[in-house]
C-alpha cells in the first residue's frame, strides 16, 4: 500500500478539526447574525441622527435618504462581505488577514461618496459614521471566525 493508513478507510477530519464544508457554513451563519446586528445598529444610529436634526438630504436631486435604505444597503454590502470571506476561506492560505485588509480597504473607499455628495456638514458627518457602524460589527465578526478553527 502507498498510504500510511493501511485500513484503506477515510478517517475524515482529524479530531478537533471540522470538515471542509462545515467551516463555510459556520462562517455564513456568523455573517448572517452579524448582518442582522449591523443592519439594526446602522438603522438605529440613522434614526438617532435624524432625531437630533440630521436631514439626510442629498443635494443632487434634493431627495432625503429614507431609514429603510440604511438597512437595505447595509444588508447588501454585508452579504458582499460574507461572500468575500467565504471565497478567501476557500482560496487563501491566510483568509483572516486577507479579509481584514480587503474589508478595511473597501470601507475606506466607501467613505469617498459621502464626502463628494455635497450634503451639509451634519449629513456628511452622519453618513461617514454610518459607513463605520456596520464595519465595526462585520469586520471583527468575520475576521475572528476566519481565524478560529471550529470544533
Amino acid at each position: 500500500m502507498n498510504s500510511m493508513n493501511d485500513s484503506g478507510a477515510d478517517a475524515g477530519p482529524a479530531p478537533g478539526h471540522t470538515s471542509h464544508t462545515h467551516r463555510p457554513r459556520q462562517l455564513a451563519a456568523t455573517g448572517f447574525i452579524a448582518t442582522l446586528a449591523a443592519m439594526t445598529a446602522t438603522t438605529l444610529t440613522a434614526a438617532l441622527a435624524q432625531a437630533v436634526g440630521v436631514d439626510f438630504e442629498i443635494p443632487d436631486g434634493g431627495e432625503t435618504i429614507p431609514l429603510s435604505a440604511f438597512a437595505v444597503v447595509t444588508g447588501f454590502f454585508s452579504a458582499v462581505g460574507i461572500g468575500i470571506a467565504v471565497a478567501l476561506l476557500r482560496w487563501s492560505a491566510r483568509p483572516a488577514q486577507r479579509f481584514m485588509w480587503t474589508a478595511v480597504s473597501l470601507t475606506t473607499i466607501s467613505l469617498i461618496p459621502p464626502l463628494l455628495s455635497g450634503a451639509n456638514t451634519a449629513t456628511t458627518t452622519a453618513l461617514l459614521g454610518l459607513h463605520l457602524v456596520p464595519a465595526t460589527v462585520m469586520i471583527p465578526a468575520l475576521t475572528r471566525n476566519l481565524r478560529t478553527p471550529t470544533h
Side-chain angles (χ1 to χ4, degrees), residues 8-76:
D10 184 9
H17 293 89
T18 61
S19 70
H20 186 64
T21 59
H22 185 71
R23 276 211 65 204
R25 285 188 203 143
Q26 184 175 18
L27 178 62
T30 298
F32 178 74
I33 293 166
T35 297
L36 293 177
M39 290 169 66
T40 301
T42 303
T43 305
L44 288 175
T45 304
L48 179 62
Q50 225 173 26
V52 297
V54 176
D55 60 16
F56 292 114
E57 184 177 319
I58 304 300
D60 186 20
E63 294 185 29
T64 299
I65 302 170
L67 283 179
S68 60
F70 293 105
V72 169
V73 171
T74 299
F76 175 78

Side-chain angles (χ1 to χ4, degrees), residues 74-138:
T74 299
F76 175 78
F77 284 105
S78 294
V80 169
I82 294 167
I84 292 169
V86 169
L88 290 171
L89 180 63
R90 169 82 169 95
W91 290 300
S92 176
R94 296 181 4 202
Q97 295 86 347
R98 299 268 189 250
F99 176 77
M100 186 183 65
W101 285 109
T102 301
V104 168
S105 298
L106 291 173
T107 301
T108 302
I109 291 167
S110 81
L111 299 176
I112 296 170
L115 294 171
L116 301 177
S117 70
N120 64 42
T121 303
T123 296
T124 300
T125 302
L127 289 172
L128 291 170
L130 288 168
H131 279 80
L132 300 177
V133 168
T136 61
V137 173
M138 295 301 296

